Amino acid sequence: MKLPRRFFQPLATGAPAPFRELPVRLERMIHFVPPHNDKVRARVPELAGTVDVVLGNLEDAVPADQKEAARNGFVAMARATDFAATGTGLWTRINALNSPWILDDLFTLVAEVGSKLDVVMVPKVEGPWDIHYIDQLLAQLEARHGVAKPILVHAILETAEGVANVDAIASASPRMHGMSLGPADLAASRGMKTTRVGGGHPDYRVLGDPSGDAPRATAQQDLWHYTIARMVDACMANGLKAFYGPFGDFSDGAACEAQFRNAFLMGCAGAWTLHPSQVAIAKRVFAPDPAEVAFAARIVAAMPDGTGAVMLDGKMQDDATWKQAKVIVDLAKLVAAKDPELAAVYQLG
């Protein structure tokens, strides 16, 4: 573990100093794009203005014989669009640390478009040692290629070992941006009996107590509640962001929305979107309800310095509820800055 005085020192001579605080950005959806697909990549300039993050995927879903094409396609995609001008983040998901492609991924992308790249998503992170490796390598590459802004690291929790080490991963480096749940690989790692990618399962349920001859009440439960809660706690304790990962059933928008909303209520900042239909769902879910914003704004206005206690609509509000209200108001301001139609609805000064 690094000593506190050295925690924020660059890991290579000439590398940029790490951020002390994460840049304030709206990241409701991390929209995945396959860079080896020319037709999809051609739509990215138009897409960039409609999503919060565009991620060029180099890992799963890219065939082995298309890895180089995906890498080169990401470089072309990054050069073709001014993501910063639209307030859109540019991320990539590199190949796993035990793959033969990771070094080419990082060496090529930092050299060619390092100054445009905001976040590197690292799959199958199992412990802080994985983050330390990426941290050191990125610093060396930033120094070599004159990258002035540090590239952040985002870890995917998709192994049992990674979940067991989630707190150590979150505190491994000032380069950490956040974490995402990777339910498919995590299910396999845990030996879970499901082939679904995210979401619930009809057989994972609780059964109500019997009451005579009446049918017993039953309710489907959330397979991922425990892991999301652990991830959110680790992220928030370290000033990071937590994200729900993929929801694989594109045909079930209602279930996708329910899963995203659960994650939002538990503290997640956003989710992955793998299909255009999921973008609208993420925009709707990861933005606070206008009525909640209006009431939260009243609490903040009634307690400008966040101390004391007031009565609003017959309910006591104190410093704890002020903190809750501040979370909602601050998020609403970020959303309003990105989406003018919501700015008019929220009516925040």
Side-chain angles (χ1 to χ4, degrees), residues 35-228:
H36 62 296
N37 186 315
D38 294 340
K39 291 182 179 179
V40 175
R41 195 174 69 246
R43 296 196 292 268
V44 168
E46 180 182 356
L47 169 73
T50 67
V51 298
D52 298 335
V53 174
V54 170
L55 181 144
N57 182 31
L58 308 183
E59 196 218 9
D60 290 350
V62 178
D65 62 356
Q66 293 292 305
K67 295 293 186 181
E68 185 175 357
R71 192 180 305 125
N72 294 335
F74 181 85
V75 171
M77 184 179 84
R79 288 175 172 167
T81 301
D82 187 352
F83 292 92
T86 61
T88 305
L90 177 62
W91 296 23
T92 185
R93 179 170 72 168
I94 59 174
N95 285 284
L97 292 172
N98 63 353
S99 77
W101 304 292
I102 179 177
L103 289 177
D104 286 335
D105 289 347
L106 290 176
F107 276 59
T108 299
L109 299 191
V110 178
E112 299 293 335
V113 292
S115 296
K116 301 191 72 171
L117 185 58
D118 295 306
V119 176
V120 167
M121 182 181 280
V122 184
K124 302 172 182 66
V125 173
E126 301 212 301
W129 49 86
D130 291 337
I131 302 301
H132 295 159
Y133 174 79
I134 293 292
D135 192 5
Q136 184 76 70
L137 185 54
L138 281 175
Q140 292 167 334
L141 293 172
E142 288 167 345
R144 169 183 283 186
H145 299 291
V147 177
K149 180 188 68 175
I151 299 168
L152 295 175
V153 171
H154 186 100
I156 313 178
L157 289 183
E158 45 191 341
T159 69
E161 187 173 2
V163 175
N165 292 320
V166 65
D167 296 299
I169 293 169
S171 60
S173 166
R175 199 184 285 274
M176 284 295 295
H177 165 276
M179 299 186 198
S180 288
L181 172 71
D185 279 289
L186 180 56
S189 175
R190 283 176 167 166
M192 296 168 66
K193 311 307 184 287
T194 175
T195 57
R196 298 183 174 209
V197 179
H201 193 286
D203 293 332
Y204 190 72
R205 56 180 57 245
V206 293
L207 192 65
D209 291 339
S211 178
D213 295 330
R216 295 173 70 173
T218 181
Q220 185 171 320
Q221 303 295 289
D222 186 356
L223 287 164
W224 309 108
H225 183 89
Y226 161 79
T227 308
I228 293 173

Side-chain angles (χ1 to χ4, degrees), residues 12 20 40 67 85 109 113 115 130 146 168 194 196 203 208 217 247 273 277 280 284-285 295 315 331 334:
R20 293 284 176 143
V40 175
K67 295 293 186 181
L109 299 191
V113 292
S115 296
D130 291 337
T194 175
R196 298 183 174 209
D203 293 332
F247 188 89
T273 52
S277 65
R284 183 165 61 248
V285 170
F295 188 65
K315 299 178 182 178
L331 175 58
L334 277 177

